[in-house]
Amino acid sequence: MSTAERQNHFINDIIDEDLRKGKNESRVHTRFPPEPNGYLHIGHAKSILLNSGLAEQYKGSFNLRFDDTNPLKEEDEYVDSIIEDVRWLGADWEDRLFFASDYFLQMFECALDLIKKGLAYVDDLTADEIRQYRGTLTEPGKDSPYRSRSVEENTDLFLRMRKGKFANGSKVLRAKIDMTHPNLNMRDPVMYRVLHANHHRTGDAWCIYPMYDWAHGLEDSIEKITHSICTLEFEAHRPLYDWFLNSLDMYHPQQIEFARLNLSFTVMSKRKLLQLVQEGHVQGWDDPRMPTISGLRRRGFTPASIRSFTEKIGVAKRDSMVDMALLEHCIRDELNKTAPRYMAVLNPVKVIIENFPEDKTEWLDAVNNPENPEAGKRRLPFTRELYIEREDFMEEPVKKFYRLSPGREVRLRYAYFLTCKEVVKDASGEIMELICTYDPATKSGNSPDGRKVKATLHWVSAQHSKTVEARLYDRLFSVENPVAEENFLDVLNRDSLKVISNVQVEPALGEINAGETVQFERMGYFIADTVESRSGIPVFNRTVTLKDAWARLLKHTQNTSKQKPAKKKKEVVPEEKGMITIDDFSKIDLRVGRVVEAGLVEGADRLIRLMVDIGEDAPRQIFAGIRSAYQNPAILVGKDVLVVANLKPRKMKFGLSQGMVLAGSGEDRLAVASFLSELQPGDIVR
RNA sequence: UGGGGUGUCGUCAAGUGGCCAAGACACAGGGUUUUGAUCCCUGCAUUCCUAGGUUCGAGUCCUAGCACCCCAGCCA
């Protein structure tokens, strides 16, 4: 494939240094070691392209090796899909396709060797007991009672394990390291478990299977890998990787860890992807909404776009979440240069051109790809009846909408200027047809008088167009990080797939081959689905929309108009209309009060200090700004007034004001509301 | 609270003691345009998790904190 360009990251630095020192005879040999228990996703693509890219860059080698050490989870179906995906991505393993299961015998012999060295033992503890003996993060573990078996006994037992003399789970082979090691992985890890199960490649040849930590370093060592690159979660396993190889005194590759890829608006764990498939939330591993390689391929992504993406995201050790927008950018960037353009109307509305002859078909030239002159031209039929996009017409155009509306003139791409004269609706008010006229002088879209038009619309001839189906895909999840939710299924994007069956496309599109990608002008990039297209009847998958400034503008105004009514509910109702509800009113504790004392306040020329009896043990002190109306406060004494009793007390420099006295005010008047009645202080007013 | 990692713009990510802290995506503004696309221009971290320190000079070195991630499968 293409030659890998050097990227600057820490793994390059490590390799450069190794080469400088002449380590491994200056070889570079990498590998991609998938377990065939699921489909590959874009996170794997990052690893595949990293490993194979490094091999290319340093003129080394790259192996594809299946890490098939667990017969319970692995299947040939997955092997096949993985091979297809890695090949499609362009990684070249030449003749080096390997299986860990091919090394089972060598691994077995190595285990015997380790037993002989007194570094491994057969343990009879149950899985539960092993867990208990392991200790915790903060407490050391303790030795198994079987830890001190002799080399002879261990050898005998292990041989019999291999011969099938023991039941599943009854015995394991463990490395003898250190049960008090602060790294849990070093507390006598299990190397082999008894598993009477059929393996997808070795069948019934084995009934003991090696564990990852034991097997992986051996696989790398056997293949003479120089740099064994894996993801961060294996960092704590590296001491073990090193311990096994050192104990065996074998060729020793270097394990290097990097951060796995996380992509916004999707999930990347095999378990969750499997769940999406099994529970039918998507239509399979290759559903175009899936972040799997096969899903992306069916969606219309290309190896080059994925390669470009992995180059842009870089390689580092910090946990990160890459913006889906970057992946979308990469595929747009490529398809813009390569995809031939066609016209297709996703949501058609009929246009009738009054002044165009009924029986005439005019063939017009259209450019196949403005980015690539070599793509040539094609001819488009133009007739009296056309379809245009329903969204390209607005009977009452909003601000900044400059497409078609009554009385307005637009350009039909590669054709003529068109003016809307009349809107025809059905009984329900839905627009059925647009009656328009065209200007014959504007052929191929130019006006001789220099008249300008603000918009250019795509269109198809109603007589010639074909009806096809399209699937409009969107992001699978509605939030950036679905994994952060209680249940990631709760945030599945309900609109991730919209199937539309009445897409009107120009005739040439009927001839397209499955797997070909085109641009529907102004709408997006679409690929003819490889699974459901039939000869002459393509089914289109939308890979990605074009960037759309108008859609963004619309969204913004929608958002702001959505927010406004929400605000208005709070503010407008009480303020503009002067209304509160009965609930608001019932919050006010209004009492009858009798003024028992009233006087001026020293240093405050507006305030009067009142002592008001509202039926409580003691009168309340209330400061009221009513002095302008009561130069002689004494006249207030003995009057019955209305007091807001549950007003939050307010500290003033003259003292605490514990309520409010209602007063009425008008032009030049201010008076405390007082009254004569049978009501007594403390009575509630409603 | 054991061990292993990581902290630089909204998101990725360069930077390996010495010009005003690369670049990309996103975002905002402008220009060109027969795709409201593409393309082009402009803007976008006085600051690198925090606090001290070393130094003529620190994102880079030292010390002490803080935050986040991984590990207790007979999964990989």
Side-chain angles (χ1 to χ4, degrees):
Chain A
M1 261 310 211
S2 65
T3 48
E5 274 175 41
R6 187 195 163 83
Q7 282 182 47
N8 247 17
H9 51 65
F10 74 102
I11 299 181
N12 266 312
D13 294 343
I14 292 172
I15 296 178
D16 287 343
E17 178 66 8
D18 288 346
L19 257 23
R20 196 186 59 74
K21 290 187 300 201
K23 191 175 167 184
N24 302 317
E25 310 89 45
S26 296
R27 288 180 306 117
V28 172
H29 200 149
T30 59
R31 104 266 96 117
F32 175 64
E35 183 190 12
N37 68 343
Y39 279 61
L40 260 26
H41 54 62
I42 185 148
H44 294 116
K46 176 182 179 183
S47 174
I48 293 164
L49 266 10
L50 203 216
N51 278 293
S52 67
L54 251 14
E56 281 178 42
Q57 179 190 325
Y58 289 100
K59 308 224 181 318
S61 306
F62 165 76
N63 294 2
L64 175 57
R65 177 178 74 230
F66 286 93
D67 203 3
D68 54 350
T69 55
N70 184 356
L72 267 17
K73 292 187 176 177
E74 295 150 9
E75 295 172 21
D76 277 333
E77 177 199 349
Y78 297 129
V79 172
D80 297 341
S81 76
I82 288 168
I83 290 175
E84 182 186 8
D85 290 348
V86 177
R87 179 175 290 135
W88 180 75
L89 280 171
D92 187 4
W93 61 87
E94 299 174 273
D95 58 348
R96 291 177 307 280
L97 171 64
F98 300 127
F99 290 83
S101 51
D102 290 341
Y103 311 141
F104 279 173
L105 185 60
Q106 286 175 78
M107 291 176 185
F108 177 75
E109 283 162 355
C110 287
L112 248 15
D113 190 27
L114 215 57
I115 291 171
K116 214 163 286 167
K117 288 178 166 158
L119 294 176
Y121 63 98
V122 173
D123 197 345
D124 297 0
L125 254 27
T126 64
D128 237 21
E129 290 167 330
I130 287 181
R131 191 180 330 117
Q132 281 159 19
Y133 274 73
R134 184 151 35 222
T136 67
L137 294 180
T138 48
E139 303 154 28
K142 54 184 182 186
D143 289 359
S144 163
Y146 305 98
R147 196 176 200 261
S148 50
R149 292 214 254 229
S150 68
V151 170
E152 292 70 30
E153 188 183 4
N154 281 321
T155 305
D156 174 60
L157 253 14
F158 185 52
L159 254 18
R160 283 160 62 198
M161 276 171 70
R162 190 251 188 279
K163 282 185 180 147
K165 305 291 185 194
F166 303 111
N168 286 359
S170 60
K171 283 186 168 46
V172 292
L173 183 72
R174 301 179 73 177
K176 194 189 280 190
I177 306 180
D178 180 359
M179 288 306 290
T180 67
H181 199 109
N183 180 346
L184 262 21
N185 299 122
M186 297 295 272
R187 320 245 257 231
D188 289 11
V190 171
M191 295 163 61
Y192 276 97
R193 73 281 215 187
V194 178
L195 231 43
H196 293 272
N198 191 274
H199 186 275
H200 75 113
R201 297 198 91 231
T202 60
D204 297 326
W206 294 85
C207 61
I208 57 171
Y209 290 93
M211 298 287 292
Y212 170 87
D213 285 313
W214 164 242
H216 206 86
L218 294 180
E219 297 162 22
D220 286 338
S221 182
I222 290 166
E223 293 178 16
K224 291 281 185 288
I225 298 301
T226 56
H227 303 271
S228 175
I229 300 168
C230 62
T231 45
L232 248 31
E233 67 268 26
F234 292 103
E235 217 153 17
H237 294 246
R238 181 165 16 103
L240 196 45
Y241 184 100
D242 293 336
W243 188 90
F244 280 128
L245 261 14
N246 288 150
S247 301
L248 258 10
D249 198 23
M250 286 177 71
Y251 168 75
H252 195 151
Q254 180 183 3
Q255 176 177 308
I256 302 168
E257 310 84 12
F258 72 100
R260 66 190 317 147
L261 169 66
N262 294 298
L263 238 198
S264 61
F265 299 100
T266 190
V267 293
M268 211 67 94
S269 91
K270 275 191 193 174
R271 212 202 100 252
K272 290 196 172 65
L273 294 175
L274 180 65
Q275 191 182 348
L276 289 172
V277 172
Q278 286 182 336
E279 293 178 5
H281 300 108
V282 294
Q283 290 162 17
W285 285 100
D286 68 345
D287 186 299
R289 291 166 291 183
M290 291 281 273
T292 50
I293 308 290
S294 51
L296 291 166
R297 178 167 57 230
R298 215 178 144 190
R299 176 77 170 259
F301 281 79
T302 60
S305 67
I306 292 173
R307 184 179 293 260
S308 154
F309 173 72
T310 59
E311 281 164 7
K312 284 180 166 64
I313 60 176
V315 178
K317 294 194 75 159
R318 64 185 91 98
D319 292 311
S320 61
M321 167 88 72
V322 175
D323 195 339
M324 177 67 88
L326 183 59
L327 218 208
E328 292 172 346
H329 161 80
C330 291
I331 189 61
R332 282 196 190 103
D333 192 43
E334 181 186 350
L335 262 18
N336 174 51
K337 295 171 201 143
T338 60
R341 313 288 123 132
Y342 290 94
M343 295 208 275
V345 179
L346 301 182
N347 185 13
V349 64
K350 188 168 273 187
V351 164
I352 297 176
I353 305 171
E354 276 184 320
N355 57 340
F356 195 89
E358 276 187 45
D359 50 0
K360 184 176 171 187
T361 295
E362 187 173 354
W363 291 86
L364 303 163
D365 281 338
V367 172
N368 286 332
N369 184 352
E371 303 290 318
N372 176 19
E374 289 176 22
K377 291 182 174 182
R378 69 186 186 287
R379 311 209 83 185
L380 248 29
F382 185 82
T383 54
R384 179 183 165 94
E385 295 195 5
L386 311 172
Y387 291 113
I388 66 165
E389 210 68 58
R390 200 167 272 275
E391 286 76 26
D392 282 342
F393 177 81
M394 217 178 238
E395 191 168 14
E396 290 165 26
V398 297
K399 218 166 72 180
K400 293 204 174 165
F401 178 88
Y402 50 78
R403 275 110 93 145
L404 194 63
S405 60
R408 195 182 284 176
E409 188 174 48
V410 297
R411 172 169 37 234
L412 294 176
R413 186 136 159 103
Y414 300 126
Y416 294 96
F417 282 14
L418 182 83
T419 304
C420 176
K421 295 295 184 192
E422 198 187 330
V423 183
V424 181
K425 298 181 189 174
D426 68 4
S428 68
E430 199 190 350
I431 297 172
M432 303 304 288
E433 291 173 357
L434 301 171
I435 310 295
C436 303
T437 59
Y438 85 116
D439 178 357
T442 57
K443 179 163 176 168
S444 70
N446 296 307
S447 66
D449 60 2
R451 204 158 81 237
K452 294 280 186 230
V453 104
K454 291 263 286 193
T456 300
L457 308 187
H458 62 280
W459 54 275
V460 293
S461 158
Q463 253 177 68
H464 300 262
S465 67
K466 297 195 171 190
T467 305
V468 300
E469 178 182 305
R471 290 86 155 256
L472 308 183
Y473 293 105
D474 201 351
R475 298 165 176 188
L476 227 200
F477 290 91
S478 54
V479 301
E480 266 196 31
N481 188 11
V483 180
E485 304 293 316
E486 0 24 89
N487 179 1
F488 75 110
L489 296 174
D490 292 345
V491 290
L492 273 166
N493 177 10
R494 310 267 162 219
D495 300 320
S496 61
L497 169 59
K498 225 174 279 170
V499 178
I500 47 178
S501 51
N502 182 29
V503 177
Q504 298 299 317
V505 302
E506 61 173 277
L509 237 21
E511 312 308 314
I512 203 164
N513 295 316
E516 271 187 71
T517 294
V518 299
Q519 185 194 103
F520 288 176
E521 293 224 28
R522 304 207 303 136
M523 302 309 288
Y525 297 100
F526 289 74
I527 183 169
D529 188 55
T530 47
V531 177
E532 291 182 38
S533 294
R534 296 289 170 267
S535 161
I537 320 168
V539 170
F540 289 99
N541 296 335
R542 183 173 70 194
T543 306
V544 66
T545 61
L546 256 31
K547 275 171 82 178
D548 189 344
W550 168 242
R552 201 161 57 214
L553 223 158
L554 264 185
K555 213 170 153 190
H556 281 214
T557 55
Q558 266 173 18
N559 286 349
T560 49
S561 62
K562 258 184 207 163
Q563 283 167 5
K564 266 179 192 162
K567 273 185 190 167
K568 275 177 185 168
K569 262 182 199 165
K570 277 187 193 163
E571 295 169 11
V572 172
V573 173
E575 284 182 12
E576 287 185 16
K577 299 210 172 143
M579 300 286 208
I580 62 172
T581 68
I582 190 98
D583 297 328
D584 294 325
F585 191 79
S586 66
K587 285 180 190 162
I588 300 172
D589 183 7
L590 211 55
R591 304 283 177 128
V592 171
R594 187 163 296 156
V595 179
V596 294
E597 204 182 314
L600 301 176
V601 179
E602 195 73 20
D605 51 7
R606 280 185 161 126
L607 289 182
I608 283 179
R609 175 178 171 276
L610 302 169
M611 294 302 287
V612 185
D613 172 10
I614 60 166
E616 296 172 337
D617 293 347
R620 296 242 194 142
Q621 170 176 271
I622 298 173
F623 291 96
I626 53 173
R627 182 159 163 190
S628 61
Y630 300 93
Q631 287 303 321
N632 178 13
I635 64 164
L636 285 166
V637 175
K639 291 205 167 164
D640 285 347
V641 297
L642 292 172
V643 176
V644 178
N646 61 338
L647 190 72
K648 190 177 173 187
R650 188 168 162 210
K651 256 184 223 158
M652 306 180 74
K653 78 176 170 189
F654 322 101
L656 197 64
S657 186
Q658 302 168 294
M660 183 172 93
V661 174
L662 294 191
S665 69
E667 254 183 288
D668 294 339
R669 287 184 293 112
L670 178 66
V672 170
S674 69
F675 53 93
L676 291 167
S677 79
E678 300 303 308
L679 295 172
Q680 293 301 307
D683 284 354
I684 294 168
V685 181
R686 287 224 175 85

